[in-house]
Amino acid sequence: MKTIAIIPARMGSSRFPGKPLAQLLNCTMLEHVYQRVAMSKSLSATYIATCDEAIRQAAIAFGAPVIMTADSHERASDRIAEAAAHTDADLIVMVQGDEPMTHPSMIDTAVAPFHNDPKLECVNLTKRIDDEADFRSPNTIKVVTDQQGNALYMTRQPIPTLAPGGFGATATYKQVCIIPFTRTCLLEYSQLPPTPLERLESIDMLRLLEHGRHVRMVETEYDTQAVDTEADLARVAQLMANDPLLGKYQRT
């Protein structure tokens, strides 16, 4: 399968306007995401999808191909569906532009299940939550799964109910926003009506779940921190300061 990655990015974040172009360790956050994703051996190309001219110009400056999209999309998945229609890829990996700690092997982990199960339509990475503050934060999307590893529900609320031993005695998991879709699934996603829980939670994957589709969750060994606020940006700067991947792309 021809596999590409598309990174959706826009300037109009309500919690952190201009977030993709925020400076992080000597380059923009968006460049970190692009350079790290592009290192994946599973990909034939990596694109940035945006409706903003400022992002287009910044991306071109660091060598990223850009696909311009409409400015009306509420969901990142709809933006990459529009962008993917301009490509001939069989498998499209969405990597959110606020995941600067992405490791290229995470892409490989996310796409690997498609080679063994032709019925798969969509995969999300997941990681066990090791900090109770993250578990309770609405910025962390929590997920619970069935016995086959398919998502049952995703929410910004703290789920599941904690065991009597408390947080440390309970396995809790978060969504990591590296999401491969088959081409068919992604284009169908964009044609499905938005759903009540999707709107309520502001979580893309709920559109698939509410329409009875499956989302397979695959655990990653890498811990990441999405950037939703300026405080998150400062935290990520500390976490990435000694990351050996920086030396493979960062300009001094």
Side-chain angles (χ1 to χ4, degrees):
M1 292 185 290
K2 182 177 180 179
T3 303
I4 65 170
I6 303 179
I7 302 166
R10 65 186 182 92
M11 296 293 283
S13 169
S14 59
R15 287 172 289 183
F16 192 170
K19 179 171 65 172
L21 302 186
Q23 288 294 305
L24 173 64
L25 301 175
N26 297 325
C27 61
T28 65
M29 182 170 67
L30 183 60
E31 182 173 358
H32 284 289
V33 180
Y34 172 79
Q35 298 289 4
R36 295 159 82 92
V37 170
M39 291 180 194
S40 168
K41 296 178 181 179
S42 298
L43 301 173
S44 60
T46 301
Y47 300 89
I48 291 171
T50 187
C51 59
D52 293 301
E53 179 61 20
I55 290 177
R56 187 187 75 86
Q57 292 183 9
I60 290 173
F62 59 73
V66 179
I67 301 174
M68 296 300 291
T69 63
D71 62 2
S72 56
H73 297 302
E74 294 185 14
R75 297 281 173 258
S77 300
D78 288 318
R79 188 177 306 284
I80 69 159
E82 180 188 348
H86 296 282
T87 77
D88 62 352
D90 303 301
L91 197 63
I92 298 96
V93 185
M94 177 171 71
V95 183
Q96 293 284 24
D98 59 5
E99 290 279 356
M101 294 180 67
T102 296
H103 192 283
S105 65
M106 295 169 71
I107 311 295
D108 306 333
T109 298
V111 303
F114 289 91
H115 300 295
N116 301 316
D117 187 348
K119 294 181 181 179
L120 281 182
E121 295 185 305
C122 182
V123 166
N124 282 202
L125 290 187
T126 186
K127 183 75 171 66
R128 183 162 178 169
I129 303 171
D130 58 9
D131 185 298
E132 188 168 359
D134 287 341
F135 175 65
R136 300 194 179 280
S137 170
N139 293 328
T140 302
I141 297 174
K142 275 70 66 175
V143 58
V144 288
T145 62
D146 65 17
Q147 293 295 303
Q148 287 71 49
N150 296 312
L152 291 170
Y153 193 58
M154 296 184 185
T155 178
R156 297 180 182 278
Q157 299 302 309
I159 61 169
T161 299
L162 296 182
F167 176 76
T170 310
T172 62
Y173 291 86
K174 65 181 178 180
Q175 179 201 40
V176 178
C177 288
I178 296 176
I179 304 172
F181 298 83
T182 63
R183 182 182 186 84
T184 298
C185 178
L186 178 59
L187 298 182
E188 288 178 355
Y189 175 99
S190 67
Q191 298 302 312
L192 292 171
T195 52
L197 293 173
E198 170 199 350
R199 289 191 174 109
L200 183 66
E201 298 274 11
S202 189
I203 297 174
D204 291 29
M205 292 298 100
L206 290 177
R207 187 184 303 179
L208 288 178
L209 296 184
E210 288 182 84
H211 282 286
R213 311 289 280 267
H214 293 298
V215 176
R216 178 68 51 82
M217 306 304 298
V218 176
E219 190 169 359
T220 175
E221 64 180 297
Y222 292 95
D223 203 4
T224 63
Q225 171 65 54
V227 175
D228 293 297
T229 65
E230 292 189 56
D232 291 336
L233 189 70
R235 179 181 179 187
V236 166
Q238 292 181 327
L239 293 171
M240 290 180 63
N242 297 313
D243 189 332
L245 280 182
L246 293 176
K248 295 185 178 182
Y249 64 87
Q250 193 174 47
R251 299 179 297 274
T252 57

